[in-house]
Amino acid sequence: MDKILEGLVSSSHPLPLKRVIVRKVVESAEHWLDEAQCEAMFDLTTRLILEGQDLFQRQVGHQVLEAYARYHRPEFESFFNKTFVLGLLQQGYHSLDRKDVAILDYIHNGLKLIMSCPSVLDLFSLLQVEVLRMVCERPEPQLCARLSDLLADFVQCIPKGKLSITFCQQLVRTIGHFQCVSTQEKELREYVSQVTKVSNLLQNIWKAEPSTLLPSLQEVFASISSTEIDASFEPSVALASLVQHIPLQMITVLIRSLTTDPNVKDASMTQALCRMIDWLSWPLAQHVDTWVIALLKGLAAVQKFTILIDVTLLKIELVFNRLWFPLVRPGALTVLSHMLLSFQHSPEAFHLIVPHVVNLVHSFKSDGLPSSTTFLVQLTELIHCMMYHYSGFPDLYEPILEAIKDFPKPSEEKIKLILSQSAWTSQSNSLASCLSRLSGKSETGKTGLINLGNTCYMNSVIQALFMATDFRRQVLSLNLNGCNSLMKKLQHLFAFLAHTQREAYAPRIFFEASRPPWFTPRSQQDCSEYLRFLLDRLHEEEKILKVQSSHKLSESLGCSETSLQEVANKAAVLTETPCTSDGEKTLIEKMFGGKLRTHIRCLNCRSTSQKVEAFTDLSLAFCPSSSMENLSFQDPASSPSTQDGSLMQASVPGLSKEPGVCNPSTAAFACYSAVNERMADSSDEFRCTEDTSVPNDSSKMLVNKDVPQKPGGETTSSVTDLLNYFLAPEILTGDNQYYCENCASLQNAEKTMQITEEPEYLILTLLRFSYDQKYHVRRKILDNVSLPLVLELPVKRTTSFSSLSESWSLDVDFTDISENLAKKLKPSGTEEACPPKLVPYLLSSVVVHSGVSSESGHYYSYARNITGTESSYQMCHQPETLALASSQSHLLGRDSPSAVTEQDLENKEMSKEWFLFNDSRVTFTSFQSVQKITSRFPKDTAYVLLYKKQNSTNGLSGNNSTTGLWVNGDPPLQKELMDAITKDNKLYLQEQELNARARALQAASASCSFRPNGFDDNDPPGSCGPTGGGGGGGFNTVGRLVF
């Protein structure tokens, strides 16, 4: 049969005929053959595979060999023995050299054919020795790649024990000898693919045997730090392919060991660093920039400035030239930024690249790609920093300024901050910041939020909303599949906060989606303004989605087609008119929406006007000291002195003929333009009615004088005081007179406000930021405010206000714009016939602002879990301590009577821990810490408060255990969310495993020349707060500005 096959493949018969006959030969393999015939067939097929003159002969050899080896396994096992394989590896095959890749391919295929035979173990032992010998001979990339393929399929052939360390070291040296002389794209791609296979082999060995990693890295450093003069050898850039497989957790250990090892000479370190920078040109290498900058920072930390200067001047132009290549541009820009910004003692390095900047900018401006624009914005910021630092060279800089004039210029403060953070002298303790330290979730079980660059205003608000238990559960239970709304992104964020195993989560996607357009990225913003914008967006989106869904339903029922414009118009109508039915309300309305009735009565003709508006938060101004003494009011009708204005002690802002005009000298800065616009139109929205419609049971308010005293005799306001002040009646007089349509003139008037519908969650914002007209600056009111754990909200429920004008507003702010000068109406002592119902609330969360300005500082939050079904208020509420004195008709409990209750609540609710959310950090705390924060840290003041209504049956919780298992009361996640979290948690566990291996290597390497001193256990520097976490401040801080 072998003679027939040999004659056939060398004949001149047509190829189809040959294939038919070959198929017959393959089929004949099932028949019995003696040992000699089998050996002759194996020898022939081996010769065809290794020495075949064309592809057809080699294919025939493979087909026939596989068929006969399968049906004649003992004979093939006898043929493919140790002697035969050793001969192939050491002597080659006839005219074929032993280093030919065909021999390795043949052995690879032969191992597959005898894998189930006992003799394969002998071959594995043989190959363990032979592959080490082959690697020591420095094979070419192609042969080394084929060897890697063989070892990837048959890991039993990899040397074991001490030989595995030697094998890895020799393989590193072999990679260091790789070269590609071709400039053709096809050959270059093939070369990169071959190198990748070899580096992946090393990675697999490192994973299987961690003890091989450190010796391999020592060999890498030995190769790139060699200073021997050898013109014929330069370590290959292919060594960069290994960097991506080195665990990032080892950066601190290895860099510190390298920079402090006395055996590493400066010349060797300089050479190694230069060659690592050359690695930036390797197209598929990851983390090269991370390691380069870590080494630069490590050298700066030990003050080896000579090396830094030499390397910067030698390599700065090469790094700049790498910016032309898209694959390596991000890493090159990161390294370039660090090298230039840290080189602050001389303009020499910057001036080396100045001649090349204009051409680069023009080239990227012309291609118009979004990635190019983003890159140019980053490069422009870097160039501005350098020109600012090295001013005085207009002849060099004018062409650059002209080229980058269309791109934003950073502020002087930002430039100074960048430069101060990047100097070599500022990096003595920054080595650990090269990599955010990996650690598990804190003992609190809560997840922090990483600060993305002055995003603490968002982080503190998100954590407060997340800890609003009922709201969180409703968000997580929504079915938002196929929707890309902001609510979907909030659901994704809440799901990760609830279920990730990470210590902190980076909310990048949600931040980009929820950031108000007027908020400058990476600058401090007002958390209250962000919260209003966020709730507004969520509300508007849900309204539009409801209209669209109803439109689709109507179309499916055969209704007439409605245009997109009609859908938008319907959504606008729904937005302007709040729904009265709970089923039609949005989630934001259900959770945070309340209603406020404003009532204005002309003191001349006694006609009244009133309207009801929706709100999601109340902005509380600070009480003037005079009004704190005895704040109350009476029915003006029963007071003989109202007509002549004897009750009017000062000019009070309010509604007049031009109601939008505020006293500029006292205007509170916290009143935003949206509020002013609403105030400007409010007079027209009020309806005047006859005096008969005026309720005779005007609310009366009295604030207890027994308020806490400061050491200097000053009083400490409480949230109760501010809420009293907000709801107290006000006389509109002077410049703020009210235009009465009935009188057709400006008249003195009384304005009162009542809450007619309470929200599930009451959001209170303390107006702390005001405008100083004298110095034209924004100032912060640092007054301490007592925070009651229990708050009673007076709610005056009303019948249907069908005739009243209603509108939805997320920022209904009817506080006095000039809160420090406003005077409230005094009481008459008349009893109220029907006092408002007192609705109890428990404090859920507090957002604290630390700083003296709205444009700077830091936000963090205190919060705890409270649900609407808790009975803690009922358990601890003592009627005698919170009873309202009937003779005074209290609308709100004061601090003094409720102090005992708050203490009781705190003592009885020790199991309900408070948490402190400070960006990445989450720690346990107590309500006493919340109360004492301002007394301990005068610049840290409560700013936004969330209160949860108690004793309410949560009608929103329609979902229960029947829809699935609720973990800790939270609804089960949808499959899409759960899959994403599961995938991320698996990745986190892999990272933890790598970290454990790195620690093992650290302990094992104590006797090595690197001599690691252990991981840096110091926490990474905070983002923008005194105790903030979140990483940052590391090598990539050019655009990461925090205070």
Side-chain angles (χ1 to χ4, degrees), residues 969-990:
D970 283 353
L973 298 182
Q974 297 174 33
K975 184 178 184 303
E976 176 188 356
L977 276 176
M978 201 66 253
D979 289 346
I981 294 172
T982 301
K983 181 179 179 181
D984 185 72
N985 284 340
K986 287 181 179 179
L987 177 62
Y988 169 76
L989 293 177
Q990 293 172 357

Side-chain angles (χ1 to χ4, degrees), residues 624 626 645-653 730-736 748 818 820-824:
S626 60
S646 60
L647 286 181
M648 298 173 248
Q649 302 179 11
S651 175
V652 181
E730 173 186 355
I731 293 298
L732 306 180
T733 185
D735 292 338
N736 296 296
N748 294 337
S818 54
N820 292 326
L821 295 181
K823 302 297 180 183
K824 297 292 186 174

Side-chain angles (χ1 to χ4, degrees), residues 540-551:
E540 297 289 342
E541 275 190 0
E542 186 174 349
K543 283 289 187 183
I544 293 175
L545 289 175
K546 283 186 176 182
V547 173
Q548 290 176 342
S549 61
S550 63
H551 169 62

Side-chain angles (χ1 to χ4, degrees), residues 547-560:
V547 173
Q548 290 176 342
S549 61
S550 63
H551 169 62
K552 291 179 181 178
L553 179 62
S554 65
E555 285 185 343
S556 64
L557 295 176
C559 299
S560 60

Side-chain angles (χ1 to χ4, degrees), residues 220-264:
V220 172
F221 184 76
S223 297
I224 64 177
S225 63
S226 174
T227 57
E228 296 179 3
I229 301 177
D230 185 358
S232 63
F233 174 71
E234 176 69 19
S236 173
V237 178
L239 286 170
S241 63
L242 299 177
V243 174
Q244 59 191 326
H245 303 311
I246 304 174
L248 288 178
Q249 292 84 353
M250 297 186 66
I251 284 185
T252 302
V253 176
L254 296 179
I255 297 303
R256 181 172 294 161
S257 300
L258 282 174
T259 55
T260 57
D261 192 340
N263 297 320
V264 180

Side-chain angles (χ1 to χ4, degrees), residues 273 276-277 287-297 335:
L273 187 52
M276 286 179 67
I277 291 175
H287 309 310
V288 172
D289 55 333
T290 305
W291 283 91
V292 169
I293 293 177
L295 187 52
L296 291 171
K297 287 192 170 189
V335 175

Side-chain angles (χ1 to χ4, degrees), residues 789-790 842 864-878 901 904-905 908-909 912 950-951:
L789 188 61
V790 180
L842 281 186
R864 62 170 176 163
N865 282 316
I866 297 181
T867 62
T869 58
E870 290 182 9
S871 59
S872 56
Y873 177 81
Q874 290 177 324
M875 289 192 307
C876 304
H877 191 281
Q878 300 179 10
T901 301
D904 256 358
L905 279 170
K908 295 185 180 182
E909 294 186 347
K912 298 179 176 63
Q950 292 301 290
N951 302 329

